Amino acid sequence: VQKWIEDLSRRFPGLVIKPGEPMARHTTFRTGGPADCLVLPATRDDFTGVCDFCRNEKVPLFVIGGGSNLLVSDRGIRGVTLSTAGLDRFSIEGNTVFLGAGAVISDAALETAKRGLEGLHVFHGMPGSVGGAVYMNARCYGAEIADMFTAADLYAGGRLERAVYRPEEWDYKRSPFQKGGVILEAVFTLNGGDAAVLTAEAESHRRDREEKGHYRAPCAGSVFKNNRNFGEPSGVIIDRCGLKGLSSGGAMVSSWHANIIVNGGGATSSDIMNLIRAVRSRVFEQTGFDLEPEIIPAGDWEGYDVAGA
Ligand SMILES: Cc1cc2nc3c(=O)[nH]c(=O)nc-3n(C[C@H](O)[C@H](O)[C@H](O)COP(=O)(O)OP(=O)(O)OC[C@H]3O[C@@H](n4cnc5c(N)ncnc54)[C@H](O)[C@@H]3O)c2cc1C
């Protein structure tokens, strides 16, 4: 590890490299052990250069955006953990918006609303980056990223590609980027609208989240996907099984929303993983529905029975 960290700093002077960085500082659950090395490039060239370095040197690479949908192992992440935070371009040409993968989706949502552009505004208040939202095909308030996504610059296999929107590649919580590659930038086509109305709507969505307790304790939003075949949202099913308040170590099914697990203070990622598995099996026993986790386990979970991975 020490050797390739030295190689990286020699090849990319000025690159911010944090060996042994605790990932709890970079996830919304506020859990997760040390990354061998967290790398924060400030330029696109350095970013793709680090990707090339990892490919050539066979160093494992994990890309992190806002860390708001991740459960990072208490043992941390091996290899390079590459942050997109420095890729924060924001530019608008007519109804077309160009957003760097590391741009904060909530800020972009509010800014486009203020400029009288409709579509992304629903994401105001949702944590995370543009790249993470595209990767996850994030959705809320009746809209999803696929509705407005036009194209992305993707870095895959040492090459820059332009990935254009193809409807058959998108579905509920599914995007083509889950097959591989790193999103550098995304392009969205939005509709024109009334800036004052859209801004008020964006702000009311953020308030709604606040009232629903999204920001009350460290969490990663919904733990389980909704499944139309189950007839009701996962949160309603979990609640009916009487699991609000169920806990494992410092992790607890929140009392205000049954599909949100919170770090009630001092939780480890293992506590959260154990609780996800407990909820999943209790719901299965009581209803026969097998809930599918939405949260992504990341890092070194070897030897661990990872729910949904
Ligand atoms: C309070 C709260 C509320 C939430 N509400 C919602 C909601 O309403 N709707 C919803 O859909 N989600 C919601 N979420 C979950 C989360 O905010 C979204 O999934 C978000 O889009 C994740 O973005 P991120 O940047 O944090 O991704 P991360 O958690 O950092 O990463 C998620 C995945 O994306 C990959 N990834 C990230 N960036 C890139 C990139 N540039 N290229 C390739 N892969 C990449 C990562 O490797 C990882 O596999 C909520 C979370 C919280 C904490």
Side-chain angles (χ1 to χ4, degrees), residues 133-301:
V134 171
Y135 177 94
M136 297 299 301
N137 189 17
R139 58 187 291 127
C140 57
Y141 302 105
E144 61 180 7
I145 286 289
D147 300 337
M148 53 213 92
F149 174 87
T150 309
D153 285 349
L154 186 72
Y155 199 67
R159 284 191 14 247
L160 183 65
E161 297 169 19
R162 173 133 283 218
V164 296
Y165 176 69
R166 290 194 191 84
E168 68 277 12
E169 295 179 332
W170 296 76
D171 206 339
Y172 173 78
K173 298 278 168 171
R174 185 165 72 82
S175 82
F177 306 106
Q178 291 164 10
K179 290 195 202 120
V182 185
I183 303 157
L184 302 179
E185 187 166 303
V187 185
F188 300 91
T189 308
L190 306 181
N191 298 319
D194 182 299
V197 172
L198 292 170
T199 306
E201 243 182 71
E203 276 164 356
S204 85
H205 289 327
R206 201 196 54 76
R207 267 197 312 278
D208 181 53
R209 286 176 183 275
E210 206 168 293
E211 281 156 20
K212 286 182 179 152
H214 282 204
Y215 315 128
R216 218 173 285 168
C219 72
S222 296
V223 172
F224 296 100
K225 295 181 184 176
N226 290 320
N227 184 329
R228 217 175 279 146
N229 298 328
F230 299 165
E232 278 170 317
S234 297
V236 174
I237 298 171
I238 298 166
D239 193 10
R240 184 128 12 77
C241 290
L243 302 180
K244 272 185 180 164
L246 186 70
S247 66
S248 157
M252 190 181 80
V253 176
S254 86
S255 55
W256 52 91
H257 191 314
N259 200 15
I260 293 181
I261 286 178
V262 295
N263 176 351
T268 62
S269 289
S270 303
D271 291 341
I272 296 168
M273 181 65 84
N274 290 338
L275 189 55
I276 293 174
R277 288 174 44 212
V279 169
R280 193 176 182 183
S281 67
R282 297 268 287 260
V283 167
F284 186 70
E285 281 160 20
Q286 292 186 43
T287 67
F289 296 144
D290 189 14
L291 299 178
E292 185 191 347
E294 172 171 334
I295 286 167
I296 299 174
D300 180 7
W301 285 101

Side-chain angles (χ1 to χ4, degrees), residues 8 11-12 44-59 61 82 155-160:
L8 263 178
R11 283 198 215 177
F12 304 97
R44 195 157 145 153
D45 281 351
D46 275 5
F47 191 94
T48 55
V50 174
C51 294
D52 291 342
F53 173 89
C54 291
R55 215 163 54 91
N56 296 336
E57 304 297 321
K58 302 197 172 20
V59 175
L61 174 69
L82 185 58
Y155 199 67
R159 284 191 14 247
L160 183 65

Side-chain angles (χ1 to χ4, degrees), residues 55-134:
R55 215 163 54 91
N56 296 336
E57 304 297 321
K58 302 197 172 20
V59 175
L61 174 69
F62 180 74
V63 175
I64 184 167
S68 65
N69 207 41
L70 293 179
L71 185 58
V72 174
S73 159
D74 297 318
R75 291 197 293 247
I77 307 179
R78 304 291 72 83
V80 165
T81 302
L82 185 58
S83 166
T84 60
L87 304 177
D88 57 355
R89 177 180 179 205
F90 181 106
S91 121
I92 297 183
E93 289 168 25
N95 282 14
T96 308
V97 184
F98 301 84
L99 292 171
V104 175
I105 187 91
S106 176
D107 294 351
L110 187 60
E111 192 53 36
T112 50
K114 285 182 180 164
R115 310 250 194 129
L117 292 171
E118 179 178 2
L120 278 177
H121 71 292
V122 296
F123 292 105
H124 183 48
M126 189 184 81
S129 67
V130 167
V134 171

